[in-house]
Amino acid sequence: MLEKKRLYYIDGLKGICCICICILHFLLMFIPKGYIGWGCSAEASENPFDFYFADFPFSIFTNGSFALYVFMALISFIPAYSFFNTGKTDFIAKQACVRYFRFLPMVFVSCIISALLNRFSLYSFTKFYEATGNSWIHMLEMSDYSFSSALYDGLFGGFLHGAQLISSLWCLHYLFLGSILSYSILLLCEKIKNRIPVYVMLCIFLYTQPVYLSFMAGIISADILCNSKITQKTSKNKILSVVFLIAALVTGNFPPVLLPSWCNNIVFYAIGSFFLLISVSCLFADLKLLKSRILSFLGKESFSIIIVHMIVLFTINGFLFVYLDSLNINHVFNIAVNFLVFTALSLVFSKLFSMALTPLTNKLCNFVWSKID
């Protein structure tokens, strides 16, 4: 019963991460104040400290990639929690074998759709950049996405280095390889009772590739939560759980311009993910909000939404903004209208996208596993 209940709140947490990722991309397109990341303006690149704090605290939101790394931690947390809670590993081998095929249909179809949109000039990059001067959009405008690139990305390239034009899938290779890494670590830990030295060595080794530290955060937090003594102490000590939550929010949203050169902000995202999973599990596992229908829906459809919302943003929203701007519509009203359209169409199209491809994905995974088993 405990495991089932925890899965509900994890779906809710995934739903919140999905919302945060969508809002981040919407802000980068329409209100990129204080943004100092990839594709930022020349001014931001030359003087990131002043540019970041000129719009602080709004710049926390435009540079807020924390939710993505929490999402990565959840990818490893879910199988890790099941493993540490039951001691069974048979499901790990199955998930590892079909992981590529679990991603394949949605990734491949989205790459083909992206190539078609690019071929018929249905992406709004050029007109939107001309109207707004958005440097982030300008970087995407410079992409050349042919059908050969789409085929390569959809079948192989996206899983090795991320998809090119669908910017929400720039991290596909991390999601895929991080999953395989997580399964491998869990199988390694099957017969190891004292796992602390293993975790320490893996974290040191992965420091050179800090994105994967978030997957380690998911595994370690699941291990801790399945230790009944530690869980009981943390659950009873609400103050400690609140301290962990504050630590998560601070490290996950810490200004990157204040970090030393030897410490990547992605490392802070991993630390924040660890504290967040512990605190949420101890404080909010029974919270009705996390088990609400809307957050559960967003959590279950999160991968489809992450793919589709960018296509909606770069096509319909881009052209709609330019059109309303040409009519001299109030800028704030224009953005508000676009947000409503963005939200509605992203939900509708992502659900249709999922309904069309999820049955195929399940059949493909079952077929592959039947041939391996």
Side-chain angles (χ1 to χ4, degrees), residues 24-26 28-30 38 114 117-118 121-128 134 136-141 143 164-169 306-320 322 338 342 346:
L24 168 63
H25 291 145
F26 185 87
L28 290 182
M29 186 157 179
F30 294 106
W38 179 87
S114 194
L117 292 171
N118 191 58
S121 301
L122 295 177
Y123 276 122
S124 63
F125 299 135
T126 302
K127 291 187 177 181
F128 191 85
N134 187 311
W136 184 62
I137 290 296
H138 181 54
M139 291 295 292
L140 294 167
E141 177 194 10
S143 303
Q164 293 180 33
L165 190 54
I166 309 171
S167 66
S168 58
L169 288 183
I306 286 173
I307 291 175
V308 170
H309 85 278
M310 296 298 280
I311 296 176
V312 172
L313 195 61
F314 294 153
T315 54
I316 297 171
N317 281 119
F319 287 117
L320 176 61
V322 172
N338 268 278
F342 169 67
S346 294

Side-chain angles (χ1 to χ4, degrees), residues 155-348:
L155 293 174
F156 307 108
F159 297 90
L160 300 176
H161 51 65
Q164 293 180 33
L165 190 54
I166 309 171
S167 66
S168 58
L169 288 183
W170 67 268
C171 59
L172 173 63
H173 57 309
Y174 290 127
L175 300 178
F176 174 67
L177 296 176
S179 299
I180 301 302
L181 173 66
S182 300
Y183 298 142
S184 302
I185 292 172
L186 292 176
L187 291 174
L188 174 66
C189 292
E190 181 179 5
K191 297 182 179 180
I192 300 177
K193 292 185 178 181
N194 184 12
R195 293 181 285 271
I196 295 177
V198 177
Y199 293 151
V200 171
M201 288 187 291
L202 285 170
C203 287
I204 293 173
F205 176 75
L206 291 173
Y207 189 83
T208 57
Q209 295 291 328
V211 172
Y212 296 108
L213 289 175
S214 290
F215 293 93
M216 285 301 303
I219 292 173
I220 296 172
S221 58
D223 198 351
I224 291 175
L225 288 168
C226 288
N227 183 315
S228 58
K229 293 181 180 179
I230 296 177
T231 304
Q232 288 175 5
K233 289 180 180 179
T234 312
S235 299
K236 291 180 180 179
N237 191 344
K238 299 298 182 181
I239 295 178
L240 180 60
S241 297
V242 171
V243 170
F244 278 14
L245 180 60
I246 294 172
L249 296 176
V250 171
T251 53
N253 297 284
F254 196 80
V257 292
L258 296 180
L259 294 175
S261 58
W262 52 266
C263 185
N264 195 305
N265 62 321
I266 297 176
V267 175
F268 268 47
Y269 291 150
I271 296 171
S273 298
F274 169 78
F275 284 125
L276 185 68
L277 287 173
I278 296 292
S279 60
V280 169
S281 298
C282 294
L283 286 174
F284 306 120
D286 295 321
L287 189 67
K288 290 184 179 180
L289 177 62
L290 287 180
K291 295 184 284 186
S292 63
R293 289 186 177 182
I294 181 62
L295 286 182
S296 295
F297 166 77
L298 293 174
K300 293 173 182 177
E301 303 292 340
S302 55
F303 189 61
S304 175
I305 294 172
I306 286 173
I307 291 175
V308 170
H309 85 278
M310 296 298 280
I311 296 176
V312 172
L313 195 61
F314 294 153
T315 54
I316 297 171
N317 281 119
F319 287 117
L320 176 61
F321 180 88
V322 172
Y323 173 71
L324 294 179
D325 187 61
S326 69
L327 299 178
N328 295 319
I329 299 295
N330 178 272
H331 187 73
V332 174
F333 182 76
N334 192 345
I335 292 176
V337 170
N338 268 278
F339 183 75
L340 293 175
V341 172
F342 169 67
T343 302
L345 294 185
S346 294
L347 289 174
V348 171

